[in-house]
Amino acid sequence: MPSYHLFGMGMQYRLTTLMGAKSDHYLSLHVSNLTNQKGRSTLQVGAPSGSYVSFPISPRQWFLSLRGSF
């Protein structure tokens, strides 16, 4: 299997005020597999039969989240 590099990126923004009151709220964005790399992530070999199973790399995914405390 050829080698590969997977890159991800994340950003976070602190929301200082929410409805006029100070609070600790954060808006986050994370992107996994930034370059949309294609290939196999895991190769599993079956010993007795000589068979194998491979699993693909997950495609590019975006995650947006809101976190806060009161």
Side-chain angles (χ1 to χ4, degrees):
M1 286 179 42
S3 62
Y4 55 87
H5 289 88
L6 292 178
F7 297 98
M9 181 179 70
M11 293 183 283
Q12 181 172 289
Y13 179 73
R14 182 177 182 181
L15 304 169
T16 55
T17 58
L18 186 66
M19 292 184 276
K22 287 199 171 206
S23 61
D24 288 329
H25 289 78
Y26 297 89
L27 185 63
S28 302
L29 175 67
H30 180 78
V31 182
S32 63
N33 195 1
L34 192 61
T35 58
N36 206 18
Q37 179 74 34
K38 306 240 189 291
R40 292 175 174 78
S41 66
T42 307
L43 183 65
Q44 196 172 34
V45 179
S49 63
S51 62
Y52 69 92
V53 177
S54 64
F55 299 97
I57 296 173
S58 298
R60 182 182 301 137
Q61 298 177 34
W62 300 75
F63 300 95
L64 181 64
S65 61
L66 177 63
R67 175 177 58 109
S69 61
F70 297 94

